[in-house]
Amino acid sequence: MPLPEAVRHAWYVARKDLRVEVRARTGILSALAFVILVLLAFNFSRDPTAVPAIDLAPSILWVTLTFASMLALNRAFQLELENQAFDGLLLAPISRTSIYLGKLIANLIFVATIELLGVPLLALFFNVRILPFLGPLVATIALATIGFVAVGTLFSAMTVRTRFAELLLPVLLLPFMIPPLMWAAWATGPLLAGRPLSDIVGWLKMLAAYDIVFVGVALVLFPATVNE
Amino acid sequence: MLRADGLRHAFGPVRALDDVSFAVQPGQTLAVFGPNGAGKTTLLKVLAGLIQPQGGRAHVEGGRRAIGWIGHQPQLYGQLTVTENLRFWASLYGTQPSSELLARLGLEEHAHRPVRALSRGLVQRVAIARALVHDPRVLLLDEPFTGLDRIAAEALSHLLGEHAATGRATVLVTHNVEEGTELATDVAFMRNGRFVHFAPRSGRDARDIAAEYRNAVA
């Protein structure tokens, strides 16, 4: 299938997923509520005299975003099970790659929406400045997000037909999420502390390499995971 | 137009398909009757390419683009409206849903309602529209009359008749011999993954076929 056609089909799938989410609003609202509650809990439970906020903020940011994203990833294929719409997708004359890419795009937009709220809230609650480093911070978040959403979308497809999909997905996914989350947290810390960009370039390269490898692996493996 | 050669498939120890071969030509409607668990749905899924058979091969002229499917489930998104659903499925086939199709299925006044707000019968009508949205040359129907009200059942029968009259092929599977018999040009009975009867309908009515079915499958 030519690339432009595959991308167009992927966009149709993504647009449909986003439209369903906009109508249902269950996934995005629960993820946003989760982000607010977790950041509030961390904010009120920390002792500012013991550990400076700037040291805690990167870990808290990534733990919060990770678990909020899990809610999105769980939903990605659940909505296809209702009324067996997934069989219709598999029957349509579009490549399996288009289906995966469509789900990936929708999940990325979904998680980006969560991050769009989570990051300013973190800045507010932990009193950290983000505006001077906004560009590199966005790049770090984008690179980390692409990696774990790519893997999460694949695992979501693998686990959706199992009995304990919502339990199985985090169990399978978390080990694969550890490297990008570590690198992202290690890049975010120096960034928020105002250290030079050269300090985090290595971590960004690692994140980019992870993205390339795992998006590629997911594109190759996805067709096999959805064939009966 | 559609050919199955020596199809074999098993789910663990259960043989769902055991050396099934047949061909359906343009204009033919094959009705496959069988009890629950006979392998009817597996047969359709293999023909549609949703299941790779462990043996034999299935060929549909025109590939996936040529297939329309109506199954137990409507394959629709409850949050989207009727029009949005049809537009989405049509876009995957590079086409647009026609307003004539909505009119023929009596869906015009429901076009902008979300599918989850429709009755079971209306949802099934939308599912029929979804299956026909790309004007398929081969229709695969899995218990298509289940849950349909009288109007929708008549509309579906009429559409299937027209489909066959324009030289398209249809395979219909059901456990209910009363359903679809009048539309069939050929009839097969399935038991334990095998065709135990496969012949032209030759003027037999539903009662004749029901009697033969009981003898063949009992």
Side-chain angles (χ1 to χ4, degrees):
Chain A
M1 188 170 281
L3 188 64
E5 196 176 20
V7 173
R8 196 173 66 240
H9 289 151
W11 172 241
Y12 292 150
V13 173
R15 190 176 57 184
K16 178 268 299 171
D17 276 14
L18 293 169
R19 190 169 278 159
V20 170
E21 183 50 44
V22 166
R23 296 278 160 75
R25 287 191 284 269
T26 47
I28 194 78
L29 287 181
S30 43
L32 292 176
F34 175 84
V35 168
I36 294 168
L37 288 173
V38 170
L39 289 177
L40 270 174
F42 273 120
N43 185 45
F44 288 117
S45 61
R46 76 189 167 93
D47 177 1
T49 59
V51 186
I54 199 81
D55 291 342
L56 275 177
S59 312
I60 290 170
L61 173 72
W62 285 106
V63 167
T64 308
L65 294 182
T66 301
F67 286 99
S69 305
M70 212 77 84
L71 293 170
L73 295 170
N74 252 325
R75 282 199 75 259
F77 286 89
Q78 288 286 354
L79 70 98
E80 302 295 346
L81 289 190
E82 185 193 1
N83 299 330
Q84 281 179 4
F86 200 45
D87 278 350
L89 279 184
L90 296 178
L91 193 57
I94 64 172
S95 67
R96 307 295 198 245
T97 306
S98 296
I99 299 174
Y100 173 78
L101 277 178
K103 291 287 175 188
L104 177 62
I105 293 167
N107 284 340
L108 283 172
I109 293 174
F110 191 105
V111 173
T113 309
I114 298 165
E115 291 168 344
L116 217 56
L117 178 87
V119 175
L121 275 182
L122 178 97
L124 183 73
F125 291 154
F126 287 79
N127 196 26
V128 290
R129 292 188 313 143
I130 56 169
L131 285 178
F133 332 105
L134 198 58
L137 184 63
V138 168
T140 307
I141 291 173
L143 285 172
T145 304
I146 290 170
F148 70 71
V149 171
V151 181
T153 304
L154 176 70
F155 283 156
S156 175
M158 285 167 66
T159 58
V160 71
R161 293 186 210 235
T162 61
R163 282 177 64 198
F164 303 106
E166 289 185 5
L167 186 69
L168 203 55
L169 179 65
V171 171
L172 283 175
L173 185 55
L174 281 172
F176 285 88
M177 284 174 92
I178 288 171
L181 292 181
M182 265 176 7
W183 300 330
W186 289 340
T188 310
L191 205 60
L192 296 180
R195 302 244 286 275
L197 273 181
S198 55
D199 280 14
I200 66 160
V201 168
W203 301 125
L204 295 186
K205 282 182 180 168
M206 295 289 272
L207 287 171
Y210 184 95
D211 293 353
I212 292 166
V213 169
F214 279 95
V215 170
V217 167
L219 284 171
V220 172
L221 291 182
F222 182 77
T225 66
V226 293
N227 286 338
E228 225 174 293
Chain B
M1 187 162 259
L2 185 156
R3 173 173 287 281
D5 290 314
L7 294 178
R8 291 176 192 279
H9 198 77
F11 296 103
V14 180
R15 278 193 209 165
L17 295 176
D18 188 5
D19 197 19
V20 175
S21 300
F22 63 92
V24 180
Q25 303 302 330
Q28 271 188 303
T29 297
L30 169 64
V32 181
F33 301 110
N36 292 333
K40 306 184 298 294
T41 299
T42 305
L43 174 63
L44 281 196
K45 286 191 166 184
V46 167
L47 293 175
L50 291 173
I51 293 178
Q52 280 297 113
Q54 289 155 352
R57 66 186 292 267
H59 175 74
V60 175
E61 206 177 292
R64 282 190 279 164
R65 188 174 291 276
I67 297 172
W69 172 286
I70 301 174
H72 294 280
Q73 296 290 331
Q75 298 181 349
L76 299 166
Y77 300 97
Q79 310 291 342
L80 303 185
T81 66
V82 172
T83 307
E84 285 168 343
N85 265 289
L86 295 182
R87 275 199 192 132
F88 168 66
W89 291 110
S91 71
L92 301 184
Y93 290 85
T95 184
Q96 290 280 325
S98 73
S99 51
E100 188 209 339
L101 184 62
L102 284 177
R104 283 164 75 190
L105 286 160
L107 289 168
E108 274 175 317
E109 61 184 289
H110 306 287
H112 300 293
R113 289 176 66 193
V115 165
R116 67 183 150 81
L118 302 179
S119 67
R120 174 81 179 90
L122 281 173
V123 169
Q124 191 64 2
R125 282 195 232 175
V126 184
I128 295 166
R130 181 197 54 72
L132 298 174
V133 78
H134 59 292
D135 195 18
R137 281 189 282 166
V138 175
L139 265 182
L140 303 177
L141 312 173
D142 189 2
E143 314 270 2
F145 294 94
T146 305
L148 286 187
D149 53 36
R150 191 179 54 81
I151 297 168
E154 282 173 6
L156 177 59
S157 293
H158 188 67
L159 281 167
L160 294 180
E162 282 183 2
H163 189 260
T166 52
R168 318 295 170 93
T170 304
V171 179
L172 179 158
V173 306
T174 177
H175 66 275
N176 188 348
V177 184
E178 304 294 321
E179 292 175 345
T181 306
E182 301 306 320
L183 296 163
T185 57
D186 297 80
V187 172
F189 302 150
M190 205 171 177
R191 189 181 62 184
N192 298 332
R194 297 182 74 94
F195 274 9
V196 291
H197 169 92
F198 181 36
R201 185 163 72 90
S202 311
R204 289 175 291 169
D205 63 14
R207 195 184 301 174
D208 300 332
I209 290 171
E212 287 179 34
Y213 174 72
R214 274 194 295 276
N215 290 334
V217 174

